Amino acid sequence: MNYVSLENITHQYGIQPILSNATLFIGPDTKIGIIGANGTGKTTLLKILAGELKPDIGQVTFHPQCRIQMVSQNTEEKLDQTVLDAVMKSDDPDMRLLSEYKKVLKRMEENSHHQPSLNEWQNLHQQIEDKDLWNLETHAKTILTKLGMQDFYQSVDQLSGGQRRRISLARALAQPSDLLILDEPTNHLDLSMILWLEEWLLQRKGAVVMVTHDRYFLDRTIRSIGELDHGRLTIFPGSYQQYLESKQEMVHHQQKEKDRMHTLFKKELAWIQRGARARSTKQKARIQRFETLKEKNVHQEERRIDIPLLQKRLGKQVLEMKDVSFAYENELPIIKNADILLKPGEIIGLVGPNGTGKSTLLHLMAGKLKPTEGEIKWGKTLKTAYLDQENQGLDTDLRVLEYAREGREYMTVEKEQRISAAQLLERFLFTPEKQWTKVESLSGGEKRRLYLMRKLMEEPNFLLLDEPTNDLDLYTLTLLEDYLLSFEGTVVISSHDRYMLDRLTDRLLILDGSGQIGEYHGSCSEWMERLKKDNENKSSSLHEREKNPSESEERKREQLPSKLSFHEKREYETIEHTIENLEEKIQKIDEDMIFQQSDFVVLQECMKEKERLEAKLETALERWAELTEKIERIRKAKADHD
């Protein structure tokens, strides 16, 4: 049984087909990663698989019972809804059932004596009970928490673009589906979220089709690779590593064929240049053979990105931060007492969860923000280029060539070679035809590539890269890494791409959200393994303390800072127990409501009591957070003083 079957499909934008006679069968156990250069049709293929786009030619067959969920790169969420509502909203019958149930509950609260609503509520309640759907909302909340979205009732219009994309991902993961289609799922996820998503996909039953630039993620979660190249789709069984091995062997055989074709082409070219006597049938056949060889030779020529080494000389001093702190107005410090020294030729990686200040630190290094306290010194010969996440400054109203010329009309590259903006664009795979298209019509990867090119036109010797891997295809990404390895200046990279960090960085700067910046000399994978072991040791220690609660409580009481008032100490000692009691009471009410379906009066009382307890629980949790934060501040101040 196949969920989706694509047979000999062709689709094109303009003259050139983006997909040509592509065939792909998606079964229940399919886990495939689609790779290829930007603009080769990866997203188009995903849209056809999801039923969002019909191909120009070919047959697409969907299994009637197959449920499909897709996460696109560009998602638009309705702003007038909460985070949880956005995740629970769906065309899936089960999710619609829960949504209708909530609407009926709301109507009943407004008019408790409305008999039709009561009947509808009883009917919906029974259907949800029969299908055992009560845990779907809990499941959705768990996924949101793992993706760093802990305020379920926050309005979507208050969220950043990256947070809204995580809502779309959470919705796709939370909804029941047979086929999950993911277009760059790791964008806007931090390292812990990516690791969680890896494990989630490994345990999930059902088919997965994805496009991703994260090579470790790809290698762990898929069973085959689909490569798109010049409209052709080729399937390679096995992991990404096995694909690379197969591809290497294939290229070796193709090179032999290329060499043979090149020899034949040279002979035929020499003959045709001497002047063919085209009257005889034999001569006509030879001319035709030459044309065939010529066409085949041109087709086999591969277009490769050529990133020229454009940079100004860098002196001995790059950047030094002395006791630097930064905080936005009326907010807690994001960076505290940072001492950082960057050396010529270093490649530094910034790692840490989202929201811990990585982009803020890059803005400070770029001089876009001034420190609240402390001092930053830059080298006199420093020429900085800052590649931000959102491609700020990319004027989409201009044509590609116009945007490039804004940077510079001519520049000098390797061996004092002088090239024009148009020639540089061709090195970055923008054909003469493409150079006259509007920037707004480019794909996400093409825009990112153009933005990168424009930054390199500034001839920097100090590169600040904020999530440079977003929207870049694997081929461009590999070439960028090769370029950075040969770059003689200094590079600071904020990235969640473990492969890139492992390959490039000399050391890591670690931001954990406390404002302090740690340092690790070693690879990102080694640091993550060390972090994992530390967390396991902490969990083991916590488990031991839970075995001896009285001893644990006594030790905690002894360790409470002396600057807390007597009342605060007593409150902190008991508040966790209060929270547990409230959670147990709410759970008991939920269980009682199941058995009180027919007694509407009792049911209304249960609902009111539940609301009252939930309000108390929210207050208790907020107070627990306040006390915990105060204790940490006191301890930190004491440690600094000591």
Side-chain angles (χ1 to χ4, degrees):
M1 177 187 74
N2 289 322
Y3 288 148
V4 186
S5 300
L6 308 185
E7 299 178 76
N8 301 316
I9 63 166
T10 296
H11 194 77
Q12 63 187 59
Y13 299 108
I15 301 174
Q16 285 295 111
I18 198 165
L19 293 172
S20 180
N21 294 316
T23 296
L24 179 62
F25 301 102
I26 306 297
D29 297 323
T30 300
K31 295 186 188 297
I32 185 170
I34 307 298
I35 66 172
N38 291 133
T40 54
K42 301 187 296 293
T43 297
T44 299
L45 179 62
L46 295 190
K47 287 181 177 179
I48 292 172
L49 285 170
E52 295 182 3
L53 182 67
K54 290 184 178 180
D56 297 329
I57 303 172
Q59 182 70 32
V60 182
T61 307
F62 296 93
H63 191 281
Q65 262 107 42
C66 177
R67 295 172 296 182
I68 300 174
Q69 288 294 332
M70 178 174 176
V71 180
S72 304
Q73 287 192 52
N74 300 315
T75 55
E76 293 184 5
E77 299 292 340
K78 286 188 176 180
L79 303 181
D80 57 342
Q81 59 183 340
T82 67
V83 169
L84 185 59
D85 286 341
V87 171
M88 297 298 289
K89 186 175 181 180
S90 169
D91 292 331
D92 181 82
D94 292 344
M95 289 295 192
R96 282 208 307 266
L97 202 61
L98 284 171
S99 179
E100 285 301 314
Y101 178 77
K102 282 189 170 185
K103 289 177 183 176
V104 171
L105 275 180
K106 190 172 182 180
R107 288 204 300 270
M108 287 168 63
E109 288 172 2
E110 293 169 354
N111 186 355
S112 59
H113 301 292
H114 192 240
Q115 188 63 32
S117 294
L118 175 59
N119 294 338
E120 190 177 0
W121 176 86
Q122 289 175 332
N123 179 41
L124 290 169
H125 192 284
Q126 190 59 51
Q127 289 185 60
I128 293 169
E129 187 72 23
D130 292 342
K131 289 188 171 187
D132 192 23
L133 302 181
W134 295 114
N135 65 339
L136 280 181
E137 186 169 311
T138 303
H139 179 54
K141 288 179 178 178
T142 301
I143 290 172
L144 279 167
T145 301
K146 293 294 184 181
L147 295 177
M149 307 293 295
Q150 295 170 336
D151 188 348
F152 309 134
Y153 303 102
Q154 185 177 9
S155 178
V156 172
D157 63 1
Q158 298 174 354
L159 304 179
S160 66
Q163 288 173 317
R164 290 175 194 174
R165 179 170 165 79
R166 275 185 267 153
I167 289 176
S168 300
L169 177 60
R171 179 169 55 244
L173 301 185
Q175 319 263 347
S177 66
D178 303 297
L179 170 57
L180 187 59
I181 301 174
L182 305 173
D183 197 354
E184 295 291 359
T186 62
N187 280 1
H188 307 290
L189 301 187
D190 62 32
L191 287 169
S192 63
M193 296 174 195
I194 292 171
L195 289 176
W196 172 81
L197 183 58
E198 274 183 7
E199 294 300 326
W200 191 92
L201 288 172
L202 288 170
Q203 294 172 18
R204 177 186 180 274
K205 293 180 180 179
V208 178
V209 181
M210 73 168 73
V211 171
T212 180
H213 63 262
D214 191 318
R215 286 150 288 186
Y216 283 163
F217 185 82
L218 188 65
D219 197 51
R220 284 199 67 198
T221 55
I222 57 88
R223 295 174 185 163
S224 60
I225 293 287
E227 182 189 54
L228 275 170
D229 182 33
H230 294 93
R232 299 187 302 273
L233 176 64
T234 307
I235 307 300
F236 295 83
S239 66
Y240 178 66
Q241 181 178 333
Q242 290 170 316
Y243 153 76
L244 291 175
E245 293 167 356
S246 300
K247 187 69 176 175
Q248 186 178 25
E249 187 176 344
M250 181 183 291
V251 169
H252 177 70
H253 288 306
Q254 287 176 344
Q255 188 59 48
K256 287 184 177 180
E257 175 65 14
K258 273 186 177 182
D259 292 342
R260 188 182 71 82
M261 293 293 298
H262 184 63
T263 302
L264 277 173
F265 186 75
K266 280 177 68 177
K267 288 181 180 179
E268 294 302 308
L269 179 61
W271 176 81
I272 208 85
Q273 284 176 338
R274 284 199 302 270
R277 292 169 296 170
R279 288 187 294 274
S280 70
T281 302
K282 186 176 180 180
Q283 304 292 9
K284 286 179 180 178
R286 192 161 186 182
I287 291 172
Q288 181 59 45
R289 188 172 118 189
F290 167 74
E291 293 298 331
T292 303
L293 284 170
K294 181 180 177 183
E295 183 180 344
K296 195 168 184 179
N297 196 63
V298 169
H299 181 70
Q300 287 186 346
E301 286 296 319
E302 292 185 7
R303 297 168 67 234
R304 294 186 175 276
I305 296 176
D306 179 13
I307 303 179
L309 294 174
L310 304 167
Q311 65 181 92
K312 293 188 179 295
R313 186 188 68 82
L314 180 63
K316 293 182 179 180
Q317 186 179 12
V318 181
L319 179 144
E320 184 177 8
M321 301 176 74
K322 291 184 177 181
D323 201 26
V324 168
S325 296
F326 179 83
Y328 291 101
E329 190 175 355
N330 299 324
E331 292 188 17
L332 293 171
I334 299 173
I335 307 292
K336 293 181 186 175
N337 310 116
D339 290 311
I340 298 172
L341 178 65
L342 302 183
K343 301 173 185 176
E346 274 192 312
I347 301 181
I348 310 298
L350 301 185
V351 296
N354 288 338
T356 53
K358 298 187 296 296
S359 294
T360 300
L361 182 58
L362 288 175
H363 276 96
L364 286 167
M365 290 180 172
K368 294 179 179 292
L369 289 176
K370 292 183 179 180
T372 311
E373 297 176 6
E375 182 184 13
I376 304 177
K377 291 182 179 180
W378 291 270
K380 292 180 180 179
T381 61
L382 210 62
K383 178 69 174 177
T384 304
Y386 177 43
L387 187 81
D388 62 80
Q389 290 191 47
E390 306 299 330
N391 297 342
Q392 292 181 9
L394 184 64
D395 192 340
T396 56
D397 292 330
L398 294 176
R399 299 186 186 278
V400 172
L401 183 56
E402 291 171 340
Y403 176 71
R405 283 175 173 166
E406 273 193 348
R408 191 175 298 179
E409 180 63 51
Y410 290 95
M411 62 217 73
T412 303
V413 293
E414 312 97 318
K415 300 177 182 178
E416 302 301 314
Q417 180 186 357
R418 183 175 163 87
I419 64 172
S420 66
Q423 289 171 317
L424 184 62
L425 280 167
E426 289 201 57
R427 289 191 179 202
F428 276 77
L429 300 190
F430 291 100
T431 62
E433 296 80 15
K434 198 82 169 180
Q435 292 177 23
W436 287 102
T437 61
K438 286 284 190 74
V439 173
E440 65 182 359
S441 68
L442 300 179
S443 69
E446 288 171 327
K447 287 176 182 174
R448 193 69 170 161
R449 197 193 318 146
L450 179 63
Y451 187 60
L452 171 65
M453 188 203 81
R454 176 66 181 273
K455 291 296 179 181
L456 295 180
M457 288 174 73
E458 298 170 11
E459 300 186 14
N461 50 31
F462 183 38
L463 285 174
L464 299 171
L465 308 177
D466 197 354
E467 294 297 341
T469 62
N470 284 357
D471 296 323
L472 289 183
D473 58 70
L474 291 174
Y475 176 63
T476 307
L477 196 50
T478 303
L479 290 173
L480 174 60
E481 289 168 356
D482 290 340
Y483 168 76
L484 293 175
L485 284 170
S486 62
F487 186 71
E488 295 178 359
T490 300
V491 184
V492 181
I493 307 171
S494 172
S495 178
H496 300 128
D497 190 319
R498 295 157 290 171
Y499 188 100
M500 171 179 259
L501 292 172
D502 281 354
R503 188 179 178 204
L504 296 182
T505 57
D506 301 303
R507 59 187 168 112
L508 302 175
L509 296 178
I510 303 160
L511 294 84
D512 61 5
S514 68
Q516 304 294 326
I517 299 177
E519 189 172 338
Y520 183 77
H521 290 266
S523 71
C524 180
S525 293
E526 290 170 348
W527 168 69
M528 291 180 70
E529 189 62 33
R530 179 176 170 181
L531 195 64
K532 182 181 176 183
K533 288 180 180 178
D534 288 345
N535 289 335
E536 287 172 353
N537 291 336
K538 286 178 183 177
S539 297
S540 176
S541 175
L542 179 62
H543 182 67
E544 287 299 318
R545 288 201 301 271
E546 287 173 349
K547 287 181 179 178
N548 303 291
S550 58
E551 181 185 342
S552 175
E553 288 299 319
E554 185 63 33
R555 190 181 298 114
K556 183 164 67 173
R557 189 177 294 112
E558 290 172 0
Q559 291 175 351
L560 287 176
S562 58
K563 287 190 177 181
L564 284 180
S565 69
F566 175 79
H567 174 72
E568 286 173 329
K569 285 183 181 180
R570 291 291 298 162
E571 189 179 9
Y572 185 73
E573 289 164 6
T574 60
I575 197 166
E576 288 184 1
H577 182 64
T578 301
I579 290 169
E580 288 174 8
N581 282 342
L582 287 168
E583 288 174 336
E584 288 173 4
K585 287 179 181 179
I586 291 169
Q587 185 178 354
K588 179 67 168 56
I589 289 176
D590 285 336
E591 292 169 359
D592 290 343
M593 288 172 69
I594 295 173
F595 298 103
Q596 300 293 341
Q597 300 175 35
S598 57
D599 193 333
F600 184 67
V601 175
V602 174
L603 188 65
Q604 284 289 90
E605 291 174 356
C606 287
M607 290 171 63
K608 287 180 181 178
E609 178 63 11
K610 183 181 177 181
E611 287 178 2
R612 187 183 69 81
L613 291 173
E614 284 179 338
K616 287 186 69 175
L617 176 60
E618 187 174 349
T619 302
L621 287 169
E622 287 176 357
R623 182 56 179 159
W624 175 83
E626 289 172 5
L627 289 169
T628 303
E629 186 179 332
K630 184 173 183 178
I631 290 167
E632 289 303 316
R633 284 202 306 268
I634 294 170
R635 284 176 176 160
K636 175 64 172 58
K638 187 175 184 300
D640 291 344
H641 182 267
D642 293 342

